[in-house]
Each structure stands twice: as structure tokens, then as C-alpha cells.
Amino acid sequence: MCGIIGYTGYRQASEVLMEALKRLEYRGYDSAGIAILSPNLSMHKQKGELDRLRVRLPKIEGNVGIGHTRWATCGKPSNENAHPFVDCTGKIAIVHNGIIENYMQLKEQLGLESNRFTSQTDTEVIVHLIEKHFNGNLLDAVRLAMNEIKGTYAVAAMVQGSNELIAARKENPLVIGVGVNENFIASDVTALLSYTNKVKYVMDGEIVSITPDRIRIFDPEGNEVQREDFVVTWNAEDAQKGGFSHFMLKEIFEEPQAIHNSLLGALDIIKNGDILPNVQFNSIKMIACGSSFNAAMVGKYIMEEMAKIPVTLELASEYRYSPGAKEFPLVILISQSGETADTLAAAREARRRGCRTLGITNVIGSTLTREVDEVVYTRAGPEIGVAATKTFITQLIALYIIAIRVGYAKRALGHDSMWGYLNELRKMPGIVQSVLDRASEIEKASNILVEARDVFFIGRNINYPTVLEGALKLKEISYIHAEGYAAGELKHGPLALLDSKTPVIAVAIQKDLTYDKMLANISEVAARESPVLAIGCEGDRELAQLSDVQISVPCVQPLFSPIPVTIVFQLLSYYAANKRGCSIDKPKNLAKSVTVE
Ligand code: F6R
């Protein structure tokens, strides 16, 4: 969602801001803008892609500025509603990510005090509140303004005549980039990778002041606090396309390496037992949104099989409103970004209910890591494409590892079985690579989807959640309506929708308990003349006879089959969307980091 950048230093601020906003594009946005002290405040904003702003931008000299990519929540996407916003004097400018809940009351109150409003946004009240409190000290004015605000925010502000930037956060991400004779603030580290790999994370309720040679951080009570620098291991290249036509494709092809890195980190967990040092819980609840929720669903099968422990699942957006039975499961919260507002709210609620919490995330220093008792990092590297690909797969890796850890500690798994599973996991980078080696075959197979209006994905057992993920991937990037179904449910309704124009993608893995049942379900589909694209094990002739197109994956234990099958789904979706000319890395209406509830 919205991306924030602020710069104060010796470089041309307009160049830094535009470069950083480019890096923040992946978060999702519909308009963009910058404001620079030159030395008077010069502001430029534009609805649409960043390039539309770039071509309209005059040459602006100046070394201090703020910039923003907006993802509309309050007020439609338009030039007027784009950030930054300035006060009535035209000297103070701000950018904001989040939602101000009491903006109507504040607007009414400020309107009476003859403030000019130029937009329909909630954000604009912030700059007028700062103006109301400003008497030469921007830090104080921002603090007083924030005290009047109800809601969530990451805000950056500047005032003409000063090289100081002030920023504040509540429940929205904010990080300080530490430079030499220059400093930065940003929504996330990817914006800063071209300039610095040293950051300081800003905590909830804190306010910061940065100038080119000084960084000060204040806690909610106004006390100055010291914060260590954190060195980020991602580099600028990781966040570039590297010759691929889209980030999504690059990120799919990075999956063998991502799994390898994820396993290296995770194996430490097993060796050192440094997560879940005691396993005094009798059940697990997993909570997440979107693809991360689909990973959690796969995780339930893994956990129940390996650790023999009951698992329940809840969507993060529902959990906090659920009555909450008197039980104390281990709560596992899964979020690649670690910034999804619903998942963060669920983490807080789980703690409030007295549960022990474990987070699985890809982003070091993200808010989730501070809201849970323990963290497992997925180590997938930066993911820029909006569709989760390598982060989804590495979430699965983390879940296998946690299941093995819990299973072994609870004696559900013996030593040999534990090593059997670990050895199977070690094969996964190679297995995934061999699926990627079939990319051109998968590209050809995607033709079956390109003209479709509706597509069904069917699977059973552990590949039921896998097909839900397949359907989500296809719909989000190709805009084809897709539904994932447990194949046994077809007869209970959706079969009525099948015809020769409705392709069905079916997963049937030999040796899985449900394999024969899947073959029967595929026959039912074929009898309705739906074109069938089947995904199964290499050499499965029976499946080939039942399907119009078959994509084979290497034979693995059924419990691990979601990994190769998901890679096929990701590639199918990518190629179908590409042939339809869709905006693959930035699908319409979607954002990478969903920081509003
Ligand atoms: C789909 C996708 C989304 C996210 C969801 C949760 O490809 O990326 O469905 O999975 O928005 O995001 P995180 O995992 O960051 O909490």
C-alpha cells in the first residue's frame, strides 16, 4: 500500500525520491507525488503511474524532500487526492500512510478555523493540525498533532527553511536509512537499497527527527531513545528484474535458491532447538490472510501428519472478532510482509487471550516480529511482484520444519522419520528446478486458460489447499475468474457450471490416499466436456489418458507434493496472464503490503 520516502542530505532530492518511489511501486499505488525544498516548497503530484509524474517533473534543485505513492482508501485516485499535502501557508508538507478514523470531526473543527481543504482525503487534516500547532518547532507540532489523531499512520513532514524531517508511526511501517552526511526515512528497506544497507527500525508510537548528520528517536512519552543500526543483507540487485520480463517470473525462478536459503536457516532451528524450546501446548492455531492463509491450510495437513497435533485455522480478519473459546493453543501467524494489518491485529489479540505466539515472515524487522514471542524467517529475499511466489513456497518450508521440530519434541516422530523428512526437504531445490526446466511445456499448456472466462482447480487432501492457491494466483494476475475446490465437492454444486468452455485443472498424485478418487472426479469432469489439464507424477499413464493436457512433476512423497505442484500453478498463471497482456507485477486494485484492515 502507500509508500513513503523522505530524504535530507547532499544529493538532489528529486532524484533520490523518484528512485526510491520506483522501488516502492511494488507495494501497489494509484498516484504519486513529491515535495522538495528548493528553497521554497515545490510540490508535484500526479494520478497514475510514476512515469506520468516523471515526465511532468521540472528540474528542481534541492536536497530535502518527501515523496509518496498512494493506494486510495479515503477519496478516489486523482491529482487532488495524491500526496504530499501542504498547509495553508504553503510551507509545511506531509505524506501519510494509514487511516485517520476521526478525520471528519477534525476536518469540521479545522474548517471552522478557516483552513482550506483541497482533497477528499483523511490525510489532509494532519497537515492542518501540524500548522495549528506549529510555532517554529516541527517536532513539537507533529507530536501535538498526532495526539489529536485516532487511527493508524506513518507520517513524514518537513517545513520550509529547515533541513529536518520529522516522522511518526503508529501501526504502519517506517524505517530510517542511515547514511553519511545524509539520512532517509522510508516505508521499507527496498526503497533505500541503492543508498544504504544500514537502517534503524522505528517502533510503534515513536517520533523521529532526522537531519543530514543527526538522527533522534523519541518514545511515546517524549524521551529520547537509542537504537542500534541494523545491517540489511538484501542488496539493490536482489530488487531488480535481472533480465527477466517481470519480477514475478524472476522470483519464480529464484525458488530453488530461496528454498535452499530457507532450509539453511531452518535447519539451525532443528539443530539448536532455538525456537519453541518447550512444547507445552496441545494444539496449534494458524492465522493469516490470502496466500499466507493457503500456506497455513497446507501447514495444517503437514502439522497433523508429522506432529500429530490438532490444528485449527482462522482468517486474520475474522479471528479478532471470534468469540475465542477458552483454550491456549500455540498461535502461528504467517505473513510474508510482516505488515498486514489484520494479521498484526490478530497477533495482538492472540497475546491478549494469553496464547503463546510464533510468527513466520520474510521481512526482518517487520512489525510482526515485534508482536510475537518467537519468529521464524523464511529468507526468500525481497519479493517485488505483488503475487506471492517464492515467499509462499518458503512459508511451506518453514511449516515443514516447525512440524518436524514439534513432532520430534512431542515424540510423534522418531529419529529416523525426522531424518527421512529432512532428507526429503533437502531434495526440494532440485525438484523445483526440474519443474522450472519444463517452463516452455507449461507455457504451451497455459493456452488452455488464455481465452477462458472461468476456470476450476480441483484437488484433494493436502492438494486441496494447493488448488486454492492455484486459483488465487490465476485470478489475481490474469483476471480470469478461478475457483479452487476439494474435488469431492464438485458434485455438490459446481458441476452445474462445467461445459466445454470451462477448463478444469486437476491435481492427482500417485500414492496419495485420494489418488483413485481423484481419477474418478476427473472422469466426471471429462464427461461434462470440460477440457482437463492434469498435474501428476512422471510416468502416470492412467492420468494422461483421462486428461487433455498433462504436466508431470517429479515423484515425491504426497506430503511434499504441494511444492512442485505450486510451481506449476505459478508458471501457468504467469504465462496465461502474460498472453492476456496483464499488468503482472502490479495487478489492478491490489497492493503488496496490506496495511489497512
Ligand atoms: C497473493 C498475495 C496476498 C497475500 C496477502 C497476505 O499472491 O500475495 O494474498 O498473501 O495479502 O500478505 P502477507 O503474507 O504479507 O501478510
Side-chain angles (χ1 to χ4, degrees), residues 289-293 334-340 343 383 386-389 395 469 472-473 476 591-594:
C289 303
S291 281
S292 295
F293 184 77
I334 310 175
S335 170
Q336 72 78 21
S337 62
E339 300 295 350
T340 299
T343 310
E383 187 175 76
V386 161
T389 52
Q395 285 170 350
E469 175 60 9
L472 176 59
K473 217 78 320 176
E476 73 178 319
K592 183 76 183 162
S593 192
V594 185

Side-chain angles (χ1 to χ4, degrees), residues 487-501:
E489 277 295 291
L490 275 189
K491 293 193 265 301
H492 301 287
L495 213 51
L497 295 171
L498 297 192
D499 58 24
S500 61
K501 292 202 171 63

